[in-house]
Every structure is written in structure tokens, then in C-alpha cells.
Amino acid sequence: MTPKRILVLNGHPGQTSLSKSLVAAYAEAAIKAGHDVRQHDLGQMSFDLDYGEGGYGSAKPLEPDLETFLSDLEWAEHIALSTPLWWGAIPAKLKGLFDRSFLPGRTFDTRNPNLIGMPRPMMKGKTARVILTSDTPAILLRLAYGNAVKKFISRQILGFVGIKPTKFTQFSPASHPKDAKVKSWLGQVEKLGAQAA
């Protein structure tokens, strides 16, 4: 297997979490398999998550953590993201990370729209794996909510800038899983990490 450049992001804002453990297992397995890994932990990142009222013409300067994240995103061939499902979506700080760092000229090109007038994505050639933890079972997420969070992440965020396909691994119920269940989940993400999948 050809080694890949992988950006690993823990998208849980807390200092300790199941998401953090899962993405750490992914990263460790990827490194052992010979992949080049750069890791980011949302809870350790310092930035103003509110985009504000400036607009793209006068956007806030990127804080060092955001600049490093964006540079690593440009470098990466594959992105592994872990996030909990909170109120049907992602944590506010994770949304803020995308709001602040996915900017025109760096992740999409508004000056050269495609045939239907949409900005051209600048992150083409990259793939993603999202490890989603929730208390909502996968079947209910699909039948009752139409997999809205998965569409939001894969199409409106990552896909918009050209990162595709985005594959999902969902673990639930995640609030109080038994140790044996967590061990099984860790084993699953270790296999994904080794394969850079």
C-alpha cells in the first residue's frame, strides 16, 4: 500500500471524549502502517469561532491554529474526522472551524465558477472518513432524519470544497457504552487507520 498524507482531526471540543479516543486509535494505526499523519485536536485549538460581519472582502485574519490547520488540509490527501452528533448536527466549535478556515482563494474559487455558477472547489483529489458518535441509531438517523448530518458534512462542507468521497463510520449509542463495545469500536477504527480509509 502506498503511504498517504493524512490529516486527523478530533472534532469534539472537550478535553476527554470517546471521539478523541477513536481518532487517536485511527492516527496511531495509520502511523504504524507507514502513513504520514498530522493531528489536530479541536479542544486544544484557540480561535474565534464566530465569522462575524466582515464578509469575505474583509475577513478576520486567521489565528495561528487556523493557519496551521488550513496548511495541513492543503497538504493532506485524506482527512479523518471524528465528531459527536449534537442536536442533529456538529459541535458549534467544529462548525466555527469550517466557517473560519474554509475561505475563498484557499478552499474554493469564486472567480472561476463552474457551468452552473458555483465556485470551483480547490481541494479536489482528497478523500475523507468521518467517525460519527451518537445516541441516535444509524437506522433512525436515516429513516427519521434522512441522514441530514451526513449530507451536511459530505455535501455542503467537504464536498463543496472538493473533498470526496466522504465515507462514514457511525457508533451508537455512545453516551455510556460498555467497555467491550468501545474496544470493538477502537478495533474498527484501527483497521481504517491502517488502510488510510
Side-chain angles (χ1 to χ4, degrees), residues 3-194:
K4 284 188 177 178
R5 300 188 303 272
I6 307 174
L7 184 156
V8 175
L9 171 63
N10 169 29
H12 193 296
Q15 298 304 309
T16 60
S17 67
L18 176 59
S19 292
K20 187 170 187 171
S21 298
L22 291 167
V23 81
Y26 183 105
E28 184 177 346
I31 292 167
K32 285 183 180 177
H35 301 292
D36 193 355
V37 176
R38 296 183 182 177
Q39 299 181 61
H40 293 264
D41 187 335
L42 187 67
Q44 299 294 322
M45 297 174 75
S46 178
F47 61 92
D48 181 357
L49 60 88
D50 183 10
Y51 186 80
E53 300 177 5
Y56 288 142
S58 57
K60 295 177 183 177
L62 292 178
E63 292 89 342
D65 284 345
L66 291 182
E67 185 57 59
T68 300
F69 170 76
L70 193 48
S71 295
D72 287 349
L73 180 68
E74 292 166 336
W75 162 88
E77 299 171 286
H78 182 68
I79 294 88
L81 161 68
S82 65
T83 180
L85 177 69
W86 285 355
W87 292 106
I90 58 177
K93 189 172 182 180
L94 180 56
K95 178 60 165 54
L97 175 66
F98 294 131
D99 286 349
R100 292 289 317 286
S101 61
F102 279 27
L103 298 173
R106 293 291 292 271
T107 61
F108 60 94
D109 185 356
T110 56
R111 293 170 297 177
N112 296 293
N114 63 19
L115 293 175
I116 61 171
M118 296 293 288
R120 289 192 183 274
M122 297 176 67
M123 297 283 119
K124 284 187 174 181
K126 304 176 190 298
T127 57
R129 166 72 58 179
V130 175
I131 302 164
L132 180 68
T133 61
S134 71
D135 284 331
T136 306
I139 190 167
L140 186 59
L141 194 65
R142 178 170 59 86
L143 295 178
Y145 303 113
N147 278 331
V149 68
K150 293 181 180 181
K151 293 174 183 175
F152 164 65
I153 295 170
S154 65
R155 299 179 190 177
Q156 294 176 279
I157 298 177
L158 300 180
F160 185 84
V161 299
I163 301 170
K164 54 179 142 180
T166 295
K167 297 182 179 179
F168 287 84
T169 299
Q170 183 180 351
F171 297 124
S172 61
S175 286
H176 304 287
K178 294 184 178 179
D179 290 345
K181 182 62 73 175
V182 173
K183 184 177 180 180
S184 172
W185 293 346
L186 291 170
Q188 291 179 57
V189 298
E190 286 170 357
K191 289 178 183 177
L192 292 171

